[in-house]
Amino acid sequence: MLSEILRRFIIILMFLFLLSNVYSQKVGLVLSGGGAKGIAHIGLIRALEENNIPIDCISGTSIGAIIGGLYASGYSPDEIEQLIKSAEFILWSSGIIEEEQTYYFKKLDINASWIELKFTDDSLLKPILPTNIVPNHQMDLGFFKIFSSAAAACNYNFDSLMVPFRCVATDIYNKKEFIMAAGELSSAIRASSTYPLYFKPIKIDNTLLFDGGMINNFPVEILDKAFNPDVIIGCKVASNSPPPEEDNISTQLENIFTAQTNYSVPPGKGVLIEPKLMDVNTFDFYRYDTLEKQGYDATMARLDEIKEMVVRRVTIQELQEKRRHFKAKEQKLLFGNIYISGLNSTQRAYTINSIRSNKEIFTIDDFEDAYFKLLADQIISSIYPRALFNRKTGYFDLYLSIKRDKRFEASLGGNISSSSVNQAYAGVEFKHLSNNSYNVWANTYFGRFYSSASIRGRADFPLLFIGSKVLNLPFYIDLGITFNHWDYYKSNTDLFFEDSRPSFVIIDESNLRAEIGFPLTDHGRITIGGAIARMTDEYYQTNKFSKNDTSDVTDFNYSVCHFTTEQNTLNYRQFPNAGRFISMKVMYIQGNEKHVPGSTSLDDTTRYNSHRWLQLNITFDRYFKINRKFTLGIYLQGVFSQQDFFSDYPSTIHAAPAFQPTPFSKTMLIENFRAYNFIGGGIKSVVNVFRKFDLRIETYIFQPYQKILPENQQADYGKILNARHYLSSIILVYQTLAGPASLSVSYYDKSDSRVYFQFNFGYILFNKKGMD
């Protein structure tokens, strides 16, 4: 009897011992780096959850740190997948600021620059080269928004996340791994995923950090040492670089930047999942469905082995309750105090006024709006945000590490063309930030067709003071002087076709401009301003002239005032394929004309005329994305003017508003596309051939109310709505880092050569005229 009781007691003890081992069994997950291949990690986690396999601790590197950090912060596989698939995540990896976040009010006039060189204050002979290819603004803000509340919920201790977590970065100076177990989760994951040369490194504890994959791309030892799991499940989506080859720069750089990693789990202690991922590049995040499925399938293929090692189970209901409990501890991102490093006191005041907008407490949406507005200032080069929860105030304290852009900047660019509209561009800029921000810049264009010089200055103010009242209304004041020169006689607009006798037309224009601007939503602005200008027109009345002939000269000295509203979210300076541009400009022009006839004129009388007119110019340019490969663009322009005729037909047509919807049409003086009152429009079909390589087919129609006709060298009106003209272009465009490269064939409805072939690299852009 006693022996039977003892036997049952031993059995119970053994059962309790086995049961305690089951419930105390700890499972760790190791996620490697590997760029877009890391999407396979989501499939692994999904497979484990569906089969009730617990995940008790995680370590990760680079994309493994991102996926692991999201799961540790309470994100489900569905939520992680949704985030990776989102347009926002693609923008992080590309660095593109989407159109909803553009702040057009802050943008300066576009120019033809290809490259910008920044200089330190103490050495104008030492340019500062860029340290990263992809801007990191989107990624910094994205990680900040996603991980700040989770970091506060765990009291900045990664062991207290929903799932205990570790990630690793590379201490580039000491060439060793940097393990992160506490602090700001957003900074830790940002550091771990800072791919060299693509993204700018960040500092944690005064240590400059790069991607953890450079030293340790599979942190299994870190997981084992920190958490001592009973079972380790690893997911390997990367491999060591092959030995460098003498003629292969890629393998040479890989071996310079990365150390060899041991992609294995301790023998007998775990399972290594290796999804079959072929021909996947670092930033191929658009292949998420395929990549996630491959991770899922690879895990399911080893599921029996995993279940044999992991005897403990966690139901979906238990996981959901665990997530709900952790999420309940998260605080809403509301901010009270602002602490700024990197700026002096007056610059901090400007920044704080821009962020707060007279609010004591502001939201993450308020900050995001201000974040992109400050970056659009072009005086601030980077803003790295951090948030620490203040238990005394009940709000987050916002810490901003801000770097001013270099005060001096030089830019070079222009256009290289198969025709004679080649031009070079050079510009210099000085930037200063105090209570307000100031920009002073000068540029020059020089070429056979167009040359120009301009000096501009702009002051931006974050608040508008009216007496003792302070209005949350930023504004700017812009002043400038510009000299423009167009020589249509020297310009040959095409490589293969040339007019036998091109018209001699030289237009010189100079203007002194001033305007004040206010924001109109985040994407637009209202400007009120004016200019004093002079336009000098030199031309012959016929194409048949000799060197002994003298040209007609028409001088028009005028003043103009304008009211303009415009919105602009176009994604490229030239050949955009997304966004919109909408403009309405009302101008009042008055001035005096002096016409001195030349030897080819029928009338030798010098004439003096006064002109004044009101003009309305409306432009609409919008792109609609139909699917991933096809975009439809619509362009419309209408001009309504009370302008009267000048002394003769050439001066009248040269002063008339022009319909020039394509970059190439801006280099041609085509009489058929000029009128005082007209409506023009067209359709643009844009097919994305590959990434930034587009095929564009554009067709336009120009309808003047009354065409301006020559009548014995004088101007006269044709019949109402009696004439219309067409132009079209087929253009292959590749958007390089420096600017667009394009090959085009264009048709213009005019009397002489109509078909033009052109190759261009760069920008066909001009400084503003007085009436622009």
Side-chain angles (χ1 to χ4, degrees):
M1 183 68 179
L2 183 62
S3 62
E4 179 64 21
I5 294 173
L6 182 61
R7 187 178 68 84
R8 291 182 178 180
F9 180 71
I10 292 172
I11 291 173
I12 293 171
L13 285 177
M14 290 178 65
F15 176 76
L16 291 174
F17 176 75
L18 291 173
L19 189 65
S20 66
N21 280 344
V22 169
Y23 277 97
S24 64
Q25 187 183 45
K26 186 185 295 183
V27 180
L29 186 63
V30 184
L31 305 177
S32 77
K37 295 178 182 179
I39 295 175
H41 296 326
I42 306 172
L44 166 90
I45 294 172
R46 185 184 300 281
L48 296 180
E49 276 203 358
E50 287 179 358
N51 290 276
N52 305 126
I53 305 298
I55 299 173
D56 301 301
C57 49
I58 302 175
S59 69
T61 295
S62 195
I63 186 66
I66 296 174
I67 303 297
L70 287 167
Y71 189 78
S73 300
Y75 280 72
S76 68
D78 284 343
E79 290 170 329
I80 299 173
E81 176 188 323
Q82 185 178 3
L83 177 63
I84 297 297
K85 286 183 175 181
S86 69
E88 185 179 25
F89 187 86
I90 301 301
L91 293 171
W92 297 351
S93 61
S94 64
I96 298 172
I97 296 178
E98 58 187 335
E99 65 176 72
E100 285 77 13
Q101 295 165 327
T102 58
Y103 194 46
Y104 184 60
F105 167 72
K106 287 284 189 178
K107 289 187 177 181
L108 305 180
D109 291 341
I110 58 175
N111 57 55
S113 64
W114 297 346
I115 185 173
E116 297 172 348
L117 300 174
K118 303 177 187 297
F119 296 84
T120 59
D121 292 355
D122 56 350
S123 178
L124 295 179
L125 300 178
K126 184 180 179 182
I128 305 299
L129 298 178
T131 59
N132 54 299
I133 297 173
V134 178
N136 51 278
H137 314 310
Q138 286 278 16
M139 186 168 65
D140 290 345
L141 182 67
F143 287 173
F144 173 80
K145 290 166 59 179
I146 288 172
F147 294 113
S148 292
S149 291
C154 73
N155 199 24
Y156 303 99
N157 179 356
F158 297 173
D159 287 345
S160 298
L161 287 164
M162 190 195 89
V163 178
F165 175 69
R166 295 289 185 275
C167 62
V168 60
T170 297
D171 177 349
I172 194 67
Y173 180 75
N174 294 302
K175 295 180 176 58
K176 65 179 184 180
E177 64 185 19
F178 188 93
I179 302 168
M180 291 163 286
E184 291 136 13
L185 186 60
S186 60
S187 296
I189 293 174
R190 165 70 166 82
S192 182
S193 54
T194 301
Y195 197 81
L197 299 183
Y198 278 87
F199 300 113
K200 187 177 292 186
I202 67 168
K203 280 187 176 182
I204 296 179
D205 297 336
N206 291 319
T207 304
L208 192 66
L209 301 175
F210 273 102
D211 194 298
M214 298 176 68
I215 294 292
N216 186 350
N217 206 32
F218 191 69
V220 63
E221 301 90 349
I222 294 171
L223 180 88
D224 207 11
K225 183 177 180 180
F227 304 114
N228 191 27
D230 300 289
V231 179
I232 296 175
I233 300 173
C235 190
K236 171 183 177 290
V237 296
S239 57
N240 286 312
S241 301
E245 300 174 7
E246 183 178 356
D247 298 320
N248 191 328
I249 187 65
S250 177
T251 59
Q252 294 171 20
L253 291 173
E254 285 181 13
N255 280 269
I256 290 171
F257 283 127
T258 60
Q260 297 292 302
T261 292
N262 178 20
Y263 292 100
S264 64
V265 298
K269 194 175 181 177
V271 178
L272 180 64
I273 308 297
E274 299 183 75
K276 294 180 180 180
L277 307 168
M278 304 297 292
D279 300 322
V280 180
N281 295 319
T282 301
F283 295 101
D284 286 348
F285 290 103
Y286 65 91
R287 299 175 61 181
Y288 37 73
D289 288 330
T290 300
L291 295 169
E292 183 180 340
K293 185 178 186 302
Q294 288 172 326
Y296 182 88
D297 292 344
T299 307
M300 294 301 291
R302 304 286 299 275
L303 190 62
D304 291 341
E305 188 179 348
I306 293 172
K307 285 184 174 181
E308 186 177 334
M309 299 189 72
V310 181
V311 294
R312 178 171 146 248
R313 298 290 182 266
V314 175
T315 67
I316 294 294
Q317 291 74 22
E318 290 175 304
L319 270 176
Q320 289 174 344
E321 177 60 25
K322 188 177 181 180
R323 286 195 181 98
R324 187 199 63 76
H325 179 72
F326 181 78
K327 291 288 187 181
K329 296 189 292 183
E330 293 187 352
Q331 300 289 333
K332 188 176 181 180
L333 280 175
L334 296 173
F335 302 95
N337 300 318
I338 303 176
Y339 300 97
I340 297 174
S341 62
L343 302 179
N344 62 34
S345 58
T346 55
Q347 295 163 349
R348 285 197 297 271
Y350 172 84
T351 305
I352 290 172
N353 285 334
S354 298
I355 295 171
R356 283 199 181 280
S357 299
N358 290 331
K359 295 179 181 178
E360 288 295 320
I361 305 300
F362 55 97
T363 67
I364 183 62
D365 291 335
D366 294 330
F367 172 67
E368 182 174 1
D369 188 49
Y371 177 84
F372 288 107
K373 288 178 180 178
L374 287 166
L375 289 172
D377 219 326
Q378 301 187 36
I379 291 180
I380 292 175
S381 64
S382 68
I383 304 172
Y384 188 77
R386 298 181 299 117
L388 292 177
F389 188 68
N390 188 327
R391 301 195 180 278
K392 291 182 179 179
T393 63
Y395 300 107
F396 284 88
D397 291 339
L398 179 63
Y399 292 82
L400 300 177
S401 176
I402 297 180
K403 289 186 177 179
R404 290 181 300 158
D405 205 355
K406 303 305 177 185
R407 287 157 63 92
F408 298 95
E409 182 179 293
S411 54
L412 300 172
N415 182 57
I416 298 172
S417 178
S418 60
S419 70
S420 60
V421 294
N422 295 280
Q423 62 188 34
Y425 168 86
V428 293
E429 184 176 357
F430 171 77
K431 308 172 185 180
H432 178 68
L433 180 63
S434 59
N435 286 331
N436 308 304
S437 68
Y438 303 91
N439 292 73
V440 178
W441 66 99
N443 68 38
T444 180
Y445 292 82
F446 43 95
R448 290 177 61 190
F449 167 63
Y450 175 70
S451 56
S452 178
S454 180
I455 300 175
R456 299 276 295 278
R458 170 169 161 162
D460 279 82
F461 305 88
L463 300 172
L464 178 62
F465 293 87
I466 301 178
S468 59
K469 293 184 178 181
V470 180
L471 299 181
N472 178 28
L473 182 62
F475 68 99
Y476 70 79
I477 297 174
D478 190 330
L479 302 171
I481 184 169
T482 302
F483 302 91
N484 292 307
H485 175 83
W486 287 270
D487 191 334
Y488 291 92
Y489 183 70
K490 288 183 178 179
S491 69
N492 165 26
T493 54
D494 190 78
L495 179 64
F496 303 110
F497 294 91
E498 182 176 359
D499 297 341
S500 59
R501 277 286 188 178
S503 297
F504 180 95
V505 178
I506 295 176
I507 298 176
D508 288 301
E509 196 268 355
S510 57
N511 63 81
L512 178 64
R513 299 169 54 90
E515 68 181 27
I516 182 170
F518 303 91
L520 178 65
T521 73
D522 287 350
H523 318 309
R525 63 188 173 197
I526 295 173
T527 56
I528 302 169
I532 299 171
R534 177 179 181 179
M535 184 174 70
T536 300
D537 221 351
E538 295 184 55
Y539 50 89
Y540 291 106
Q541 297 285 351
T542 176
N543 288 344
K544 297 178 181 180
F545 53 86
S546 69
K547 64 180 180 180
N548 295 321
D549 284 318
T550 58
S551 63
D552 286 42
V553 178
T554 298
D555 279 320
F556 182 49
N557 293 281
Y558 66 94
S559 61
V560 56
C561 58
H562 74 86
F563 173 84
T564 305
T565 67
E566 55 188 8
Q567 292 187 336
N568 191 346
T569 61
L570 297 178
N571 59 340
Y572 294 120
R573 281 179 274 175
Q574 204 164 281
F575 304 116
N577 56 21
R580 66 185 182 275
F581 175 78
I582 304 170
S583 172
M584 183 188 74
K585 173 174 283 192
V586 180
M587 291 190 295
Y588 177 74
I589 302 106
Q590 66 174 8
N592 297 311
E593 172 202 2
K594 177 184 177 182
H595 173 73
V596 179
S599 59
T600 60
S601 177
L602 298 177
D603 186 351
D604 60 359
T605 305
T606 298
R607 297 185 180 183
Y608 298 87
N609 296 301
S610 295
H611 302 276
R612 61 183 63 192
W613 70 89
L614 193 66
Q615 179 176 301
L616 172 64
N617 191 325
I618 299 174
T619 303
F620 176 88
D621 191 6
R622 179 73 185 269
Y623 290 87
F624 302 89
K625 194 170 187 64
I626 306 302
N627 56 44
R628 187 165 166 262
K629 285 291 186 180
F630 181 70
T631 298
L632 183 67
I634 296 177
Y635 183 91
L636 298 170
Q637 183 183 1
V639 173
F640 312 94
S641 177
Q642 299 173 324
Q643 188 172 350
D644 57 348
F645 291 148
F646 277 49
S647 294
D648 58 9
Y649 173 76
S651 60
T652 298
I653 206 73
H654 297 167
F659 180 66
Q660 298 171 316
T662 66
F664 317 130
S665 63
K666 292 178 171 61
T667 68
M668 305 177 72
L669 202 162
I670 306 176
E671 298 170 4
N672 285 347
F673 294 95
R674 289 173 175 259
Y676 288 160
N677 295 274
F678 68 81
I679 295 176
I683 300 293
K684 296 179 279 189
S685 300
V686 184
V687 179
N688 179 241
V689 180
F690 177 76
R691 291 190 178 178
K692 296 187 176 182
F693 184 43
D694 289 342
L695 170 64
R696 303 173 67 96
I697 302 174
E698 307 184 13
T699 302
Y700 302 90
I701 182 172
F702 174 76
Q703 177 64 70
Y705 178 68
Q706 287 181 284
K707 185 175 180 179
I708 301 174
L709 300 173
E711 184 67 36
N712 294 324
Q713 298 184 352
Q714 300 300 304
D716 196 7
Y717 280 128
K719 294 181 180 180
I720 295 175
L721 302 178
N722 189 48
R724 65 193 56 86
H725 300 283
Y726 304 89
L727 69 89
S728 60
S729 293
I730 300 174
I731 314 165
L732 285 171
V733 181
Y734 181 70
Q735 296 284 356
T736 73
L737 291 175
S742 64
L743 183 64
S744 68
V745 55
S746 300
Y747 168 84
Y748 300 93
D749 186 1
K750 61 191 189 73
S751 58
D752 40 47
S753 297
R754 297 190 177 198
V755 180
Y756 296 84
F757 296 90
Q758 273 194 332
F759 168 78
N760 287 274
F761 178 83
Y763 297 99
I764 301 175
L765 295 171
F766 313 119
N767 283 324
K768 283 188 173 182
K769 297 182 290 185
M771 294 187 200
D772 287 342

